[in-house]
Amino acid sequence: MNELPKREIIARRIARELKDGFTVNLGIGMPTLCANYIPNGIDVLLQSENGMLGIGPFPIEGDEDPDLINAGKETITEIPGASYFSSADSFGMIRGGHVDLTVLGAMEVDERGNLANWMIPGKMVKGMGGAMDLVAGVKRCIVTMDHTDRAGNSKLLKRCTLPLTGKACVNRIITNLGVFDVVPGGLRVAEVASGVTRDEIAAKTQATLV
């Protein structure tokens, strides 16, 4: 049996964070993949900043509707009862605390739960998107990303070096090496990925592990 790509494995793990009755915002990139892995028996409403509630799995090739897209401009499907509204109403939901969970990608997260995911100084930025509103208005924030950058440097840091999206806003981090909770004093290892050792995690994590 072929193994799932790393991104799909992480997406399936993210989906386990979804609870029955939740309204959830999935950030651009890897987080959106978890729409394909919502567990059976639970009802979840996926929300998008561009003005949609009730996103379904990604469409089968050939069945795409170019007018039905998420905030990342990817074609999507809708579930029965889906609704559409302005982006102003969408951000009203977010800022009003009506979204239970957001899952976001990141460039850096530090041991205090600070998040940097919107710009690298000196590089062109198309816009900050809705991340700053999400981390301020949503009840729980989970970050998912590769544990290290392409050079092998940890992305789980003692202190973020890039401009922050939000301070002390991250509750849990899911990477290709494991699951980590932000707790007083650092990051607690909640789960270790299959085939990974705690020594490997320690070697690739700059943040304090408690």
Side-chain angles (χ1 to χ4, degrees), residues 104 106 108-117 135-136 141-143 145 155-160 164-173 180-188 207-208:
L104 300 172
E108 297 176 348
V109 179
D110 69 27
E111 61 188 48
R112 294 185 177 182
N114 298 325
L115 169 65
N117 79 339
V135 299
C141 176
I142 294 175
V143 163
M145 60 181 182
K155 295 170 69 173
L156 277 62
L157 307 176
K158 289 187 177 297
R159 296 290 181 273
C160 288
L164 294 183
T165 305
K167 290 185 176 182
C169 57
V170 178
N171 303 108
R172 170 165 277 192
I173 307 160
F180 308 85
D181 290 326
V182 179
V183 298
L187 304 180
R188 180 178 66 85
T208 303

Side-chain angles (χ1 to χ4, degrees), residues 177 192-193 195-202:
L177 298 187
V192 177
V196 175
T197 66
R198 286 181 176 266
D199 287 342
E200 180 181 358
I201 288 174

Side-chain angles (χ1 to χ4, degrees), residues 32 35-36 55-66 68-70 74-78:
T32 60
N36 293 336
I55 296 171
F58 282 105
I60 299 171
E61 187 174 353
D63 290 342
E64 300 94 340
D65 180 348
L68 200 58
I69 61 171
N70 60 20
E74 300 167 307
T75 53
I76 53 177
T77 62
E78 60 185 2

Side-chain angles (χ1 to χ4, degrees), residues 17-155:
E17 299 289 327
L18 309 184
K19 306 299 181 185
D20 192 45
F22 268 19
T23 299
V24 180
N25 180 285
L26 300 177
I28 294 171
M30 192 158 37
T32 60
L33 296 176
C34 96
N36 293 336
Y37 298 105
I38 296 175
N40 293 328
I42 71 168
D43 290 321
V44 172
L45 286 175
L46 300 182
Q47 189 255 15
S48 183
E49 297 103 295
N50 59 323
M52 182 177 177
L53 187 66
I55 296 171
F58 282 105
I60 299 171
E61 187 174 353
D63 290 342
E64 300 94 340
D65 180 348
D67 292 324
L68 200 58
I69 61 171
N70 60 20
K73 299 180 177 59
E74 300 167 307
T75 53
I76 53 177
T77 62
E78 60 185 2
I79 64 173
S83 59
Y84 308 92
F85 33 84
S86 72
S87 60
D89 289 331
S90 184
F91 277 92
M93 291 178 62
I94 293 167
R95 294 169 183 168
H98 304 293
V99 178
D100 298 288
L101 172 69
T102 186
V103 184
L104 300 172
M107 300 168 188
E108 297 176 348
V109 179
D110 69 27
E111 61 188 48
R112 294 185 177 182
N114 298 325
L115 169 65
N117 79 339
W118 75 280
M119 75 167 294
I120 297 175
K123 294 193 175 183
M124 186 180 74
V125 180
K126 295 181 180 179
M128 66 180 66
M132 292 184 181
D133 292 274
L134 287 165
V135 299
V138 174
K139 297 171 186 175
R140 180 171 171 81
C141 176
I142 294 175
V143 163
T144 182
M145 60 181 182
D146 287 329
H147 202 93
T148 60
D149 63 20
R150 293 179 181 177
N153 300 309
S154 177
K155 295 170 69 173

